[in-house]
Amino acid sequence: MTDATAPATATAPKTRVAVLFGGRSGEHAISCATAASVLTALDRDRYDVLPIGITPSGQWVRVADDPAPLRLGGDVLPQVSGDGGDVVLPMADDTREVLYTRPGEVPEVLGDIDVVFPLLHGPFGEDGTLQGMLEMAGLPYVGSGVLASAVSMDKHYMKVVLAGHVLPVSPYTVVQPRQWRRDRAAVLDAAAGLGLPVFVKPARGGSSLGITKVSDAADLEAAIEEAQRHDPKVLVEAAMPGREIECAVLGGRGDDAPRTALPGEIKLAEGAFYDFDTKYVDTSGVELICPAELSEATVAQVRSLAARAFDALSCEGLARVDFFVRGEDEVVINEINTMPGFTPYSMYPLMWQRAGMAYGELVDELIALALQRPLGLR
Ligand SMILES: Nc1ncnc2c1ncn2[C@@H]1O[C@H](COP(=O)(O)OP(=O)(O)O)[C@@H](O)[C@H]1O
Ligand SMILES: [Mg+2]
């Protein structure tokens, strides 16, 4: 293994990075687009790159080291397709050798991996399941570990942990599937206590999939059922009027505290919310402003809350903490993303770019952080 921070020399062995993307969540295509950016950014003088795609049904396949077919913008969304082969991770702690197997064929050795860069959003990628698998395989990886990933993915437990650390979150009620089946009236009662409008969302969703803004109580049941199509567990949340402010957090080196960038703002048309189409399809109705125009005091408050949320949830590597900000000092944490959007146009890299860290440098830094961190209990 090499030190990813050291300048490469002609003879220095390269760090072998497995770039993992696609996956089983609704954010498959977004993950492919992110992989296109990271594959382009990885400095081939320093890194040997092994791209591994995960199909929507969960098969791990070897894919070409070519960003072109992974980009968004064509007629069809990018997608990883299977070829009958399986990438197999080493499950013994004395090897990091990855194999490619096909039925009836001799397994092909894909070589040792120094670090895995999971570029997966949503369930089976950002939610601790994959992180557990990489821990089992003894492979270092970029980003948060099992617990932080799982808790941050679940908007219910995320709020429980943040509130437990006396960090501000919006009022909400949880709709458990059993409760919905057995006592729908009690659920609707609890939701009515939040007033209107409310936001109804899958507990473990992302990219705004399955989220509805409900302004009329008569639409609540349909909104809960829509969210349940994405996750049996649903949150109903009081609407937080205010600006949408995001803050990028990067883990500290060694024992250093987490670093925060200057916050950015997602500026939407009046009355709109940041839904899937606004995020990815027709982005003309949204403006990413970085740094956000905020008073010095609000900036300090947002950055401090972002770092505290990162630590409260035991995050590692990277996270983007999203806020609603009203007036000068009313700051509420909306959510934390342990694998935030990561194309060069996404807010997370943009915030670091404004702080003087270019996209490629950010990728280097994340790999360096992953390599310095032990696996297992830490
Ligand atoms: N409580 C709320 N008040 C106001 N807007 C909200 C609220 N919850 C969600 N939204 C809007 O919906 C978007 C997506 O919700 P979010 O909870 O961030 O889910 P996701 O994980 O899918 O991004 C937010 O960026 C915001 O525009
Ligand atoms: Mg969000």
Side-chain angles (χ1 to χ4, degrees), residues 27 30 33 72 121 126 155 199 201-202 205-211 244 246 266-268 272-288 320 322 324 334-335 337 339-343 345-347:
E27 294 170 277
I30 312 305
L72 288 174
H121 307 292
E126 194 182 347
K155 292 182 165 79
F199 279 80
K201 40 179 110 168
S207 285
S208 300
L209 293 165
I211 299 187
E244 292 200 39
E246 305 188 339
I266 307 289
K267 209 161 200 168
L268 302 157
F273 82 90
Y274 204 21
D275 61 7
F276 185 87
D277 282 5
T278 321
K279 280 179 180 173
Y280 306 111
V281 183
D282 178 6
T283 54
S284 62
V286 59
E287 225 184 315
L288 268 52
R320 199 192 68 223
D322 298 348
F324 298 119
N334 173 34
E335 62 156 344
N337 291 283
M339 187 55 224
F342 202 78
T343 72
Y345 316 102
S346 306
M347 189 61 115

Side-chain angles (χ1 to χ4, degrees), residues 358-378:
Y359 190 80
E361 287 173 73
L362 180 58
V363 168
D364 289 343
E365 182 63 17
L366 290 170
I367 292 172
L369 286 171
L371 289 170
Q372 71 155 35
R373 165 183 82 177
L375 293 171
L377 296 179
R378 51 187 182 261

Side-chain angles (χ1 to χ4, degrees), residues 129-147:
T129 49
L130 172 79
Q131 288 70 18
M133 185 173 174
L134 296 173
E135 293 279 346
M136 298 285 283
L139 294 173
Y141 55 93
V142 170
S144 284
V146 175
L147 180 96

Side-chain angles (χ1 to χ4, degrees), residues 50-76:
L50 176 67
I52 300 173
I54 305 178
T55 68
S57 62
Q59 189 169 31
W60 291 40
V61 292
R62 188 179 46 172
V63 290
D65 187 3
D66 176 13
L70 301 173
R71 296 204 171 99
L72 288 174
D75 293 340
V76 285

